[in-house]
Amino acid sequence: MIACYAIRSSHAFIYLRGEVVPVLRRLHSAVAEAYAAGFLGENILGSGLDLDVTVHAGAGAYICGEETALLDSLEGRRGQPRLRPPSLRWQASTPARLW
């Protein structure tokens, strides 16, 4: 919740490996309790802030820790890492060579 407030996000995803069923059940219960207490949802505690939390159970693959694989898994596809083009931020921060 604090991270979402800091980046002004109104939706958070909690990704959990699917084989840890007892933890998944408890997490769903905790999120439901937070909604019931007014800590999640619309106009949290009268602050005007909104935050919805989605708990997603993945296929349990270790590779889903990589960001592109995680996004694929959240979208319902098999979690596979993808090649990405080089970041322009990296190129801008690299000092120019003088030779």
Side-chain angles (χ1 to χ4, degrees):
M1 291 172 54
I2 294 170
C4 289
Y5 175 76
I7 64 170
R8 296 183 177 140
S9 175
S10 61
H11 199 146
F13 292 88
I14 300 175
Y15 186 88
L16 189 66
R17 292 176 63 155
E19 68 263 9
V20 289
V21 176
V23 176
L24 186 62
R25 286 185 188 137
R26 179 63 191 130
L27 186 57
H28 277 290
S29 175
V31 169
E33 288 176 22
Y35 271 105
F39 296 128
L40 294 174
E42 294 182 7
N43 195 22
I44 297 172
L45 300 175
S47 67
L49 300 171
D50 301 335
L51 178 60
D52 287 315
V53 174
T54 300
V55 177
H56 183 85
Y62 174 78
I63 197 66
C64 288
E66 195 273 334
E67 65 183 292
T68 59
L70 174 63
L71 290 172
D72 278 347
S73 182
L74 285 171
E75 293 171 352
R77 296 189 300 266
R78 182 177 176 188
Q80 285 291 111
R82 300 179 282 217
L83 291 176
R84 295 175 290 180
S87 171
L88 295 177
R89 291 179 300 162
W90 178 82
Q91 292 172 356
S93 67
T94 304
R97 295 194 177 164
L98 301 175
W99 64 82

